Amino acid sequence: QQQVKQSPQSLIVQKGGISIINCAYENTAFDYFPWYQQFPGKGPALLIAIRPDVSEKKEGRFTISFNKSAKQFSLHIMDSQPGDSATYFCAASKTSPPEETSGSRLTFGEGTQLTVNP
Amino acid sequence: DTGVSQDPRHKITKRGQNVTFRCDPISEHNRLYWYRQTLGQGPEFLTYFQNEAQLEKSRLLSDRFSAERPKGSFSTLEIQRTEQGDSAMYLCASTLGRGYNEQFFGPGTRLTVL
């Protein structure tokens, strides 16, 4: 069961352009939505994250837009640079209350390979 | 470097051999997670620890897999009788604990089973 669906699978943009990656989730209990950046041979690095109580969060060139009713969220990379070329993963998790043993496991999307041409 | 560290970074083994990986989380983090990532896919949850207690295991974690975190600090993941299908990147992540969602990943251990 794929609980987080990500698109597109690959994306090519020109330097200075806007990169947009979309994700949709099914589990309405999810309350934390991070984006990770991964370079070949490296572990995922946390980029930016959002909770459902806000519709947008911006950090530098990275913006998350969140639509709770549609159960969708997206990552926008403004002024894309060749150094942004990497694989991007959206993810989702549910914050577990203190009395529960279930951890806040991350459920990842399939990934988007971004290439920014110079 | 105070990030999550993993050892070894690469492991090549023959089918049927046992392998063990180590993860050292960020020092004040008491939750530790293991994920597996195959080529072209996102990481998939395997198991997690709250301090030394293993509290949740995925169905992906077959009987050949075992994980420990004996003193609530570093963790080990052992795979017995490895199979070619075990070839993957094994990732470790840590977070502060309950109520904190931000997970920070290590560089991973790339396992190749011949």
Side-chain angles (χ1 to χ4, degrees), chain B residues 70-113:
Chain B
K71 298 182 179 179
S73 56
F74 72 91
S75 175
T76 58
L77 177 68
E78 181 183 17
I79 309 174
Q80 295 182 328
R81 304 181 303 282
T82 52
E83 302 172 355
Q84 288 185 326
D86 297 331
S87 295
M89 175 80 90
Y90 289 84
L91 294 162
C92 175
S94 70
T95 190
L96 268 172
R98 287 175 179 159
Y100 292 89
N101 294 83
E102 293 80 9
Q103 293 187 24
F104 298 93
F105 283 81
T109 294
R110 168 72 66 189
L111 172 66
T112 302
V113 181

Side-chain angles (χ1 to χ4, degrees), chain B residues 21-91:
Chain B
F21 311 139
R22 175 178 171 129
C23 170
D24 287 86
I26 295 171
S27 60
E28 65 270 26
H29 287 189
N30 56 34
R31 275 197 176 177
L32 185 149
Y33 300 78
W34 285 99
Y35 291 84
R36 181 172 69 186
Q37 184 178 27
T38 52
L39 206 58
Q41 300 295 316
E44 295 177 291
F45 171 79
L46 291 177
T47 188
Y48 98 96
F49 292 84
Q50 172 79 31
N51 298 312
E52 67 277 5
Q54 186 175 17
L55 297 182
E56 193 174 5
K57 291 192 281 188
S58 161
R59 285 171 296 195
L60 291 175
L61 213 66
S62 76
D63 292 344
R64 297 183 297 105
F65 287 69
S66 63
E68 294 183 341
R69 196 182 181 197
K71 298 182 179 179
S73 56
F74 72 91
S75 175
T76 58
L77 177 68
E78 181 183 17
I79 309 174
Q80 295 182 328
R81 304 181 303 282
T82 52
E83 302 172 355
Q84 288 185 326
D86 297 331
S87 295
M89 175 80 90
Y90 289 84
L91 294 162

Side-chain angles (χ1 to χ4, degrees), chain A residues 19-67:
Chain A
S19 304
I20 302 174
I21 305 171
N22 302 298
C23 280
Y25 63 98
E26 299 171 6
N27 188 344
T28 55
F30 287 150
D31 62 358
Y32 173 73
F33 303 90
W35 285 89
Y36 283 84
Q37 178 189 58
Q38 187 175 30
F39 293 102
K42 307 291 186 184
L46 180 62
L47 262 181
I48 185 172
I50 198 168
R51 292 192 178 273
D53 53 344
V54 297
S55 60
E56 186 174 283
K57 183 175 181 180
K58 182 177 180 179
E59 289 184 2
R61 297 185 294 111
F62 301 94
T63 300
I64 298 180
S65 297
F66 187 84
N67 186 329

Side-chain angles (χ1 to χ4, degrees), chain A residues 2 4-6 23 88-92 107-112, chain B residues 41-43:
Chain A
Q2 183 63 45
V4 179
K5 293 185 179 180
Q6 184 172 343
C23 280
Y88 292 81
F89 292 96
C90 62
T107 299
F108 283 84
E110 301 96 327
T112 296
Chain B
Q41 300 295 316

Side-chain angles (χ1 to χ4, degrees), chain A residues 99-113:
Chain A
E99 64 273 14
E100 284 189 13
T101 59
S102 62
S104 301
R105 62 160 76 178
L106 288 168
T107 299
F108 283 84
E110 301 96 327
T112 296
Q113 187 167 350

